[in-house]
Amino acid sequence: MSGERITILSPHQVEQMRRAGRLTAEARAFGGSLVRPGVTTREIDHEINKFIRSHGGYPSFYHLYGFRGAACISVNDEIIHGVPGNRRLKEGDIVTIDVGACVGDYKLDRNGVAVGGYHGDCCATFACGEISPEARRLIDTTEQAFWAGFEKARAGGHIFDISAAVQQCAEAAGYSLVREYTGHGIGRSVHEAPEVPNYVPERPLGGNPRLYPNMAICIEPMVNQGSARIRNRRMPDGWVVPMTADGKLAAHYENTILITDGEAEILTRCGD
């Protein structure tokens, strides 16, 4: 994404992004309410898919890059991009639900991917029943790292202001941040420029873009309980699920936000 142009949204586009964000947040909350011992990740995904479509949207992740599902559902040591399937959740699991929803003037390509329209993207890690204090601390710190980054998301600042705040919060708590995946811009596509790292790179290939009003970005800390190193599990269809190399837990928290003239606006918010 480093060579792509950063989009500044028009007022009409901002309103469309608010619609997309609200539906996406509602889908995240709905998916989280389904997390309980005994349910399969495929059952959760099926219900999220129905929820988004019944509310006038389309799952942004459906067939995107070949993904098989409406939501990425990652359990325990799966960091991101978990594929819904027959895995039955157990008491004490932590379950990350990453969901996108598209609204507006999108069209479907021959693979069923939404092209155009306006997209929201958000994620949270949920407890399955009673979880350990260590797992709860990881989940809470991951969300706190998002809020630390959010506070730095101000017009006139730079992307790495966000990155530094996320990094400081997570590492001060003794955790590690995944290097291979980042937050991103969003709008007419799910993934747009700029990249939003969760740490300050030593050699940034895409520079350190300035933040301007009406930029929409996703801040999404991916926090490992142990080492930052990952291992990739390749699925039969070639899909890759990044996992912690040491088998320890991982958590993920994300919102789509809009840069404004003052405090940033969370677009993936519902119930208010």
Side-chain angles (χ1 to χ4, degrees):
M1 290 184 286
S2 60
E4 296 179 13
R5 185 174 180 178
I6 295 171
T7 300
I8 305 298
L9 300 167
S10 70
H12 167 74
Q13 291 174 321
V14 168
E15 286 305 312
Q16 293 298 305
M17 288 293 289
R18 289 190 176 113
R19 285 184 55 213
R22 180 172 290 272
L23 177 55
T24 307
E26 290 171 348
R28 172 179 59 184
F30 175 66
S33 74
L34 302 176
V35 172
R36 61 183 182 275
V39 73
T40 68
T41 55
R42 179 177 284 119
E43 289 168 342
I44 295 173
D45 182 72
H46 178 71
E47 293 301 319
I48 290 173
N49 191 354
K50 285 199 306 182
F51 181 91
I52 293 172
R53 292 172 189 256
S54 69
H55 287 77
Y58 188 83
S60 298
F61 299 168
Y62 194 61
H63 293 309
L64 184 68
Y65 313 130
F67 181 68
R68 297 184 290 110
C72 297
I73 305 179
S74 309
V75 182
N76 294 336
D77 60 343
E78 296 174 336
I79 302 168
I80 52 173
H81 301 165
V83 179
N86 294 325
R87 181 172 188 163
R88 204 167 292 278
L89 299 179
K90 305 188 303 298
E91 185 89 12
D93 285 340
I94 64 171
V95 184
T96 295
I97 297 178
D98 190 354
V99 62
C102 180
V103 302
D105 59 343
Y106 65 88
K107 296 187 179 346
L108 301 183
D109 70 11
R110 62 182 183 180
N111 296 314
V113 178
V115 178
Y118 297 87
H119 298 263
D121 185 4
C122 65
C123 174
T125 302
F126 298 92
C128 184
E130 292 295 323
I131 61 173
S132 69
E134 294 81 7
R136 171 52 61 192
R137 179 173 177 268
L138 173 67
I139 291 173
D140 290 347
T141 300
T142 302
E143 182 171 351
Q144 289 164 11
F146 163 82
W147 289 108
F150 174 80
E151 289 299 320
K152 297 297 183 181
R154 299 276 184 146
H158 292 81
I159 289 292
F160 291 169
D161 298 337
I162 299 170
S163 306
V166 170
Q167 183 174 13
Q168 195 280 329
C169 180
E171 292 183 350
Y175 298 127
S176 302
L177 288 155
V178 173
R179 262 55 176 174
E180 289 84 353
Y181 299 91
T182 71
H184 51 88
I186 187 169
R188 300 282 277 173
S189 300
V190 179
H191 297 119
E192 298 183 356
E195 291 186 346
V196 185
N198 294 310
Y199 66 100
V200 179
E202 292 182 6
R203 297 180 180 178
L205 297 179
N208 183 15
R210 185 178 293 276
L211 299 169
Y212 292 96
N214 286 10
M215 285 174 60
I217 61 174
C218 293
I219 302 174
E220 50 176 318
M222 290 159 258
V223 181
N224 289 355
Q225 189 178 43
S227 165
R229 292 189 305 111
I230 71 171
R231 60 187 174 92
N232 290 322
R233 184 177 69 197
R234 189 169 295 277
M235 308 298 287
D237 64 355
W239 186 260
V240 171
V241 179
M243 307 177 69
T244 60
D246 53 18
K248 293 186 177 182
L249 299 177
H252 184 194
Y253 188 83
E254 173 186 18
N255 280 304
T256 299
I257 72 168
L258 180 74
I259 305 300
T260 73
D261 289 319
E263 182 178 78
E265 175 185 346
I266 297 181
L267 298 178
T268 43
R269 175 170 281 174
C270 59
D272 55 2

